[in-house]
Amino acid sequence: MADRLRQLAEADERRLLDAAFSYPEVGATAGTLPAGYHHMSVSSRIGSGADVFDRARQAILSWQVQLRSGARVASSASTVVSGAVAVVSLGVGPLRLHAPVRIVEVIDDGRQAGFSYGTLPGHPECGEERFVVDRAADDAVTFTVTAFSRPGSLLTRVGGPAARIAQRLMAERYLRALRS
């Protein structure tokens, strides 16, 4: 069972709303991914038809992809909205990693739904991640996770390739969370 979405503490919300992104290429997951970062894109067909698309859309725009994948989310908004801030965290107890993010873009046009978030100071990485479900003309519904990132902390710099593997494994968990 997925954890519930938590309300971000007011002090944390203010601090994150005042924070600048930790990378300059804000919005780049919507186009050409910038040089100088590790790039990742994974996709999975999750079914077909309007019902599948609508369920996936609802899950993405209510943080369920993150929650169902085992992450905790504390957000300034109960649904994904442009400019909202959140802390996505993974792990247990003192080993829990906290990843502050801000919503960069929300997509919701009837054929595509999803969002991008960018890293804020304190996130172990610098970059952006995008979660989009597409309904094609043939009614196939595909979920794609796209990201560009580079180390943003000592832990991820030292982790090197292991950090990239962990990011890829998390993206696979996101895909499985939406298929379930």
Side-chain angles (χ1 to χ4, degrees):
M1 170 109 182
D3 281 354
R4 290 181 312 114
L5 178 67
R6 294 173 171 82
Q7 178 66 40
L8 193 60
E10 192 175 320
D12 290 333
E13 181 178 345
R14 277 194 310 272
R15 177 180 53 81
L16 294 177
L17 286 170
D18 289 341
F21 286 102
S22 60
Y23 64 103
E25 302 88 348
V26 176
T29 53
T32 303
L33 301 182
Y37 293 86
H38 169 71
H39 297 170
M40 180 199 67
S41 185
V42 294
S43 293
S44 177
R45 182 179 170 155
I46 59 172
S48 64
D51 289 345
V52 170
F53 176 81
D54 291 341
R55 281 193 305 273
R57 175 194 168 278
Q58 178 62 34
I60 289 172
L61 297 178
S62 64
W63 294 103
Q64 289 305 305
V65 170
Q66 288 75 18
L67 294 169
R68 292 176 191 172
S69 70
R72 289 187 181 176
V73 179
S75 177
S76 63
S78 60
T79 58
V80 173
V81 295
S82 188
V85 290
V87 176
V88 180
S89 50
L90 289 167
V92 217
L95 299 179
R96 184 170 295 282
L97 291 176
H98 301 282
V101 297
R102 179 179 296 124
I103 304 299
V104 171
E105 172 192 31
V106 177
I107 306 110
D108 194 9
D109 66 11
R111 299 303 283 184
Q112 273 194 328
F115 68 97
S116 299
Y117 59 47
T119 60
L120 297 173
H123 194 294
E125 298 279 342
C126 290
E128 198 169 284
E129 197 159 25
R130 187 174 207 241
F131 308 87
V132 175
V133 63
D134 289 286
R135 184 174 172 207
D138 68 356
D139 256 356
V141 179
T142 304
F143 178 43
T144 303
V145 178
T146 304
F148 64 89
S149 63
R150 60 182 172 211
S153 70
L154 179 61
L155 176 66
T156 51
R157 277 191 289 283
V158 170
R164 286 192 297 276
I165 291 168
Q167 182 183 37
R168 178 83 178 191
L169 291 173
M170 195 66 211
E172 294 292 338
R173 287 174 73 170
Y174 291 147
L175 294 177
R176 281 194 304 276
L178 201 54
R179 285 193 301 251
S180 60

